[in-house]
Amino acid sequence: MQELNTFNKDLMAFIAASPTPFHAVQEMASRLQAAGFEALNEAEAWQLQPEGRYYVVRNGSAIIAFSNLAGSHVEKGFRMVGAHTDSPCLRVKPNPELNHNGYFQLGVEVYGGALLNPWFDRDLSLAGRLSYKTKAGDIKSALINYAKPIAIIPSLAIHLDREANNIRSVNPQKDIPPIVMQAEKGQQDFRAMLLARLKKEQPNSDAAKVLDFELSFYDTQLPAIVGLEQDFLASARLDNLLSCYVGMQALLSNKDQNALLVCNDHEEVGSASSSGADGPMLKSVLERLVPNTEQLTRALDRSMMVSADNAHGIHPNFADRHDANHGPQLNQGPVIKINHNQRYATNSETAALMRHLAEQIEVPLQSFVVRTDMACGSTIGPITASNLGVKTLDIGVPTFAMHSIRELAGAKDAHYLYQLLAKFYQQKSVAISA
């Protein structure tokens, strides 16, 4: 129990420190470096040592970490875990200044498939990346985080919307611009505000002008263990920072094998970017580890990818939204996700291997298949499998309220997944005989 509590406490600290993909990658890089991993630069030649541990960052929002501990990649292959750093949210538009009836608001764009109603009446803050010009005329980037409530999206009172409890649709253009302060029209320059914030966070900054930004609103309520018996973990961005953390901790526990963790950006919007799973980042790193095409093909045939992304737990109020035989329970273990239309990459062989590993360490496993009359979501699993030709399994922790501003998972399940991924990383072989 003490191990579980310590694990969850650190998981919650990681999520709290990671309000945006940029901050998540910064936090992961810091933790990896403290554990002895060496930073690599894609623009430079790599001099990799046989027993080395390394990480590389792209766009500040995606990271790949790996260890060369088992010798030949060709003969041993890779044990790979994949997750993603982004979550549905509200992103600030380039020209966001809005003034309505004496209130200063910021125009926002919905990023990903966000559940919008829970964003109302929450204490919101703002964080992300700034690109700025220095006094010497150079262009640099920096992260900022207001770290306290600075905005809110108030609901319309029930007296003015009598049908709100019967039907409430949200117009993302006009209903959700957050209120930041009271101010007269024309007195606000958002970029000037950002420059002032940057100088407050970094007093020695040589920034002269903010040129552009990628900023996200987020809920300031901290993650918490909740329930009469402390059964649940409630937090923003469980999808999918939980898997990023679990994958990182499993990688740090690896002592023997060629292990790799990739945390891509932009999964929630299709993964088609330089730092997304449908981009070249992972393949580029693997090609630098095994430059010969034939040898890389041989290495990948001896490899396996585990795509870790949250699953839908069966909601007690909406149990009919699940297939009756495939409704995962919170705190009953990770969920193998299966879809024969290839929305998930799991097949019988990869599922069998994972079930075998779970039996060895007595970690419970569950299965999820979407109702046949409902559409199925997807993950980086099928994208990575089709790009690399590597056998792949989709798995994740069951959650409620996926894509809400605050999601809910079982307090035991992240640790179960950690144990399973740590066991997977230790495998000398993932070959499956015919």
Side-chain angles (χ1 to χ4, degrees):
M1 182 60 71
Q2 182 59 43
E3 180 182 353
L4 176 62
N5 291 339
T6 300
F7 183 90
N8 282 335
K9 184 177 180 180
D10 195 50
L11 167 59
M12 292 188 291
F14 171 78
I15 293 175
S18 308
T20 74
F22 305 113
H23 289 84
V25 167
Q26 182 184 66
E27 180 70 12
M28 294 179 74
S30 176
R31 288 167 175 249
L32 288 165
Q33 200 158 23
F37 282 70
E38 181 182 341
L40 297 172
N41 187 329
E42 286 193 280
E44 298 175 354
W46 292 359
Q47 303 296 327
L48 304 180
Q49 301 303 313
E51 299 295 316
R53 297 177 177 225
Y54 304 93
Y55 71 89
V56 60
V57 171
R58 181 177 287 190
N59 187 47
S61 62
I63 187 169
I64 294 176
F66 60 91
S67 54
N68 296 326
L69 300 177
S72 170
H73 299 109
V74 177
E75 299 302 324
K76 303 293 185 179
F78 300 92
R79 312 295 166 264
M80 297 186 286
V81 172
H84 63 89
T85 60
D86 59 320
S87 303
C89 63
L90 305 182
R91 295 276 177 94
V92 181
K93 291 182 176 180
N95 301 313
E97 294 92 344
L98 301 172
N99 290 87
H100 295 135
N101 300 96
Y103 295 96
F104 179 55
Q105 299 170 270
L106 294 177
V108 292
E109 180 181 7
V110 179
Y111 176 86
L115 193 62
L116 291 178
N117 278 312
W119 280 80
F120 288 81
D121 308 316
R122 308 290 296 194
D123 297 341
L124 304 178
S125 193
L126 192 64
R129 180 170 69 180
L130 303 182
S131 294
Y132 60 90
K133 182 172 66 176
T134 69
K135 297 174 182 177
D138 300 321
I139 297 177
K140 295 183 179 180
S141 293
L143 302 188
I144 66 164
N145 182 7
Y146 280 85
K148 65 178 182 180
I150 65 164
I152 196 165
I153 309 171
S155 293
L156 183 62
I158 188 69
H159 315 77
L160 304 178
D161 185 5
R162 294 291 183 180
E163 295 300 310
N165 291 329
N166 297 322
I167 179 170
R168 185 189 186 190
S169 60
V170 178
N171 183 311
Q173 173 66 22
K174 73 181 195 65
D175 294 345
I176 62 171
I179 296 174
V180 178
M181 64 181 182
Q182 288 185 297
E184 295 300 322
K185 188 172 183 178
Q187 293 182 353
Q188 295 76 41
D189 181 339
F190 185 57
R191 281 174 170 78
M193 295 177 183
L194 294 177
L195 181 62
R197 179 64 195 184
L198 176 60
K199 290 185 174 181
K200 182 175 181 179
E201 291 190 24
Q202 302 179 19
N204 296 325
S205 171
D206 58 351
K209 180 181 181 181
V210 172
L211 299 174
D212 221 318
F213 51 81
E214 294 171 81
L215 300 173
S216 304
F217 281 103
Y218 69 93
D219 187 6
T220 58
Q221 185 176 4
L222 293 175
I225 300 295
V226 302
L228 281 174
E229 299 296 332
Q230 304 287 279
D231 288 328
F232 310 113
L233 168 61
S235 176
R237 303 179 299 284
L238 290 179
D239 178 17
N240 191 28
L241 292 184
L242 181 150
S243 298
C244 291
Y245 176 83
V246 168
M248 177 180 62
Q249 293 301 108
L251 179 68
L252 292 176
S253 74
N254 173 59
K255 306 298 182 185
D256 302 309
Q257 301 304 319
N258 297 325
L260 182 148
L261 172 69
V262 53
C263 295
N264 292 112
D265 193 7
H266 301 130
E267 190 275 343
E268 299 292 359
V269 292
S271 295
S273 71
S274 64
S275 53
D278 204 19
M281 184 180 182
L282 177 56
K283 187 175 182 180
S284 174
V285 168
L286 293 174
E287 287 174 342
R288 296 180 81 157
L289 296 178
V290 187
N292 180 279
T293 301
E294 179 182 334
Q295 290 182 342
L296 179 56
T297 300
R298 291 169 59 195
L300 287 172
D301 189 64
R302 294 182 171 100
S303 303
M304 181 169 162
M305 163 66 75
V306 175
S307 167
D309 202 345
N310 295 12
H312 296 291
I314 184 167
H315 194 304
N317 299 341
F318 303 94
D320 61 339
R321 302 300 176 93
H322 283 262
D323 181 282
N325 289 344
H326 302 91
Q329 299 268 354
L330 272 60
N331 287 316
Q332 295 301 311
V335 181
I336 293 178
K337 302 194 284 186
I338 301 164
N339 182 265
H340 293 302
N341 292 302
Q342 297 304 299
R343 300 295 288 170
Y344 303 130
T346 305
N347 62 31
S348 60
E349 292 186 334
T350 58
L353 176 61
M354 195 57 60
R355 294 186 196 281
H356 176 61
L357 298 181
E359 286 179 357
Q360 292 180 39
I361 57 175
E362 298 182 341
V363 164
L365 275 184
Q366 307 181 80
S367 298
F368 173 77
V369 178
V370 73
R371 278 179 57 118
T372 308
D373 56 357
M374 295 179 67
C376 183
S378 192
T379 70
I380 68 169
I383 296 171
T384 304
S386 61
N387 284 349
L388 295 181
V390 65
K391 52 184 170 286
T392 302
L393 174 117
D394 270 293
I395 197 168
V397 164
T399 57
F400 294 155
M402 192 181 295
H403 288 198
S404 176
I405 196 170
R406 194 165 179 85
E407 299 163 324
L408 192 73
K412 298 178 182 178
D413 287 324
H415 192 255
Y416 279 142
L417 183 59
Y418 158 72
Q419 292 175 287
L420 190 58
L421 294 183
K423 181 67 173 177
F424 166 72
Y425 271 141
Q426 294 169 8
Q427 295 310 294
K428 293 182 179 180
S429 173
V430 292
I432 300 170
S433 301

